[in-house]
Amino acid sequence: MSKKVAVILSGCGVFDGAEIHESVITLLRLNQRGAQVQCFAPNIAQMHVLNHLTGETMPETRNVLVESARIARGEVKDLSQADVNDFDALIVPGGFGAAKNLSDFATQGAACTVQADVLALAEAFAEAGKPVGLMCIAPALAAKIYGPGVTCTIGNDADTAAALVKMGATHADCAVGDIIEDQARKLVTTPAYMLAQSISEAASGINKLVDRVLELTHEGEQ
């Protein structure tokens, strides 16, 4: 029986939303593995809008849910409607949107908070013992979801790793093509574009993450 996976997007674009390559690779791999997928995004304003050609801030506002619909081809729902009981696993691609829209890690660092709907759903998966995959900068949310002692990776960036440790996480250095698994919590993380120099490098770790998350949904089955 195919597994149902919820994917949380944070907008559209590496600098102010979900990383598009990471999101598409995730959705592609899930489809290749026969999973049923529903994308979600919080119905909130982005922290800001960046011109991805110049890197400059643009004088406009955009909605995270509306922007996420670009990646999901319109098949995305308001995150407040998500129910943990409808899904077997949760995956969150990276991009600065995870640190700007799903949380305020980009500005607050270790003192960050997680957006209410994101935290509520992720905590529900944690409490239900259902597997979760976080990639790129998204593992910055791990300690807020699971509490002190959770093991995760953002690759090997010393400053970011230090912020995770300050929040109570145990950081494990990880190569771009590998994953780190917290077996007790069924949390799988991979560096993706925290380290990747190409889309194929990003895919090497993301595919492993998706495969492992799906494997974990079968644990205990006869």
Side-chain angles (χ1 to χ4, degrees), residues 6-19:
V7 174
I8 299 179
L9 301 175
S10 57
C12 181
V14 57
F15 299 124
D16 58 14
E19 213 296 320

Side-chain angles (χ1 to χ4, degrees), residues 46-205:
Q46 291 184 185
M47 175 184 144
H48 59 189
V49 179
L50 293 183
N51 180 324
H52 278 60
L53 187 62
T54 66
E56 297 174 350
T57 302
M58 300 176 70
E60 62 180 87
T61 59
R62 295 190 185 185
N63 179 279
V64 175
L65 178 59
V66 172
E67 290 301 294
S68 296
R70 294 177 180 272
I71 295 176
R73 295 172 60 85
E75 295 297 320
V76 62
K77 294 182 178 180
D78 188 327
L79 185 57
S80 65
Q81 300 174 7
D83 186 340
V84 65
N85 296 309
D86 295 335
F87 298 95
D88 300 293
L90 171 68
I91 296 179
V92 185
F96 277 106
K100 293 179 177 179
N101 304 326
L102 303 187
S103 72
D104 56 7
F105 181 77
T107 57
Q108 301 303 313
C112 72
T113 58
V114 181
Q115 195 272 340
D117 292 330
V118 176
L119 185 61
L121 184 64
E123 285 183 333
F125 273 87
E127 290 167 7
K130 294 183 177 182
V132 173
L134 305 175
M135 64 189 69
C136 192
I137 194 62
L141 312 180
K144 300 296 183 178
I145 297 166
Y146 292 94
V150 62
T151 298
C152 60
T153 190
I154 46 78
N156 58 18
D157 182 78
D159 290 341
T160 309
L164 268 62
V165 170
K166 190 173 182 180
M167 286 190 280
T170 298
H171 182 264
D173 282 357
C174 181
V176 66
D178 289 331
I179 57 175
I180 295 296
E181 180 179 347
D182 185 320
Q183 294 183 343
R185 296 169 177 82
K186 293 186 179 181
L187 172 67
V188 186
T189 54
T190 193
Y193 272 108
M194 288 296 289
L195 290 179
Q197 298 298 308
S198 67
I199 189 170
S200 59
E201 279 194 356
S204 63

